[in-house]
Amino acid sequence: MHGDDSDEHVEFAGGNVHIVTTKESWDQKLSEANKDGKIVLANFSATWCGPCKMMAPFYSELSEKHSSIMFLVVDVDELTEMSTSWDIKATPTFFFLRDGQQIDKLVGANKPELQKKITAILDSANPR
């Protein structure tokens, strides 16, 4: 055992999803994404939140399909100061970031809408 409570995050970590539990790891992931020119999709979730759990497998699936996006999950209970600074009113809330700046957001466990936003953002990032 690593002595951390990562077990409860297991259902959120699938595919290419990264769990963020510290501000340091958040900063590190964002700078990685900026360096690679990736868009960041940050899923502010909670382990007790039913809709968040419902979205988790779908989110993992999306992360496997879209390698140009970095998929993060932020536990609002572990990073309370971050949820406050991002003004999270409900979970899940999804933020799309480019170069650390918010370009879009989605509140609620809305699969078709999340899919639509990803498609639109990828289209705008890679104009044909």
Side-chain angles (χ1 to χ4, degrees):
M1 279 303 289
H2 299 299
D4 58 13
D5 57 352
S6 54
D7 293 350
E8 61 178 20
H9 293 116
V10 143
E11 57 200 314
F12 288 98
N16 298 313
V17 176
H18 305 277
I19 307 278
V20 174
T21 52
T22 63
K23 179 76 173 76
E24 291 72 39
S25 102
W26 168 263
D27 292 338
Q28 188 193 345
K29 288 293 175 205
L30 282 201
S31 65
E32 248 173 70
N34 294 350
K35 207 173 63 215
D36 301 339
K38 288 188 172 190
I39 287 163
V40 172
L41 177 48
N43 169 2
F44 283 78
S45 279
T47 46
W48 44 261
C49 152
C52 299
K53 289 182 178 173
M54 185 194 85
M55 284 296 276
F58 179 66
Y59 195 67
S60 302
E61 233 169 85
L62 289 173
S63 76
E64 287 170 356
K65 282 188 203 139
H66 304 292
S67 54
S68 59
I69 298 178
M70 181 184 281
F71 286 75
L72 303 179
V73 171
V74 179
D75 185 328
V76 292
D77 292 328
E78 295 203 17
L79 283 169
T80 41
E81 71 283 0
M82 250 180 85
S83 346
T84 310
S85 62
W86 285 84
D87 200 25
I88 308 296
K89 300 265 186 277
T91 50
T93 298
F94 301 91
F95 285 100
F96 292 86
L97 310 174
R98 188 185 280 129
D99 301 324
Q101 301 299 309
Q102 181 184 328
I103 49 176
D104 205 349
K105 82 183 261 197
L106 169 67
V107 179
N110 187 333
K111 291 181 187 180
E113 195 54 36
L114 186 62
Q115 179 75 70
K116 211 163 76 186
K117 284 183 183 293
I118 287 175
T119 306
I121 281 170
L122 289 177
D123 283 351
S124 71
N126 313 307
R128 295 196 187 5

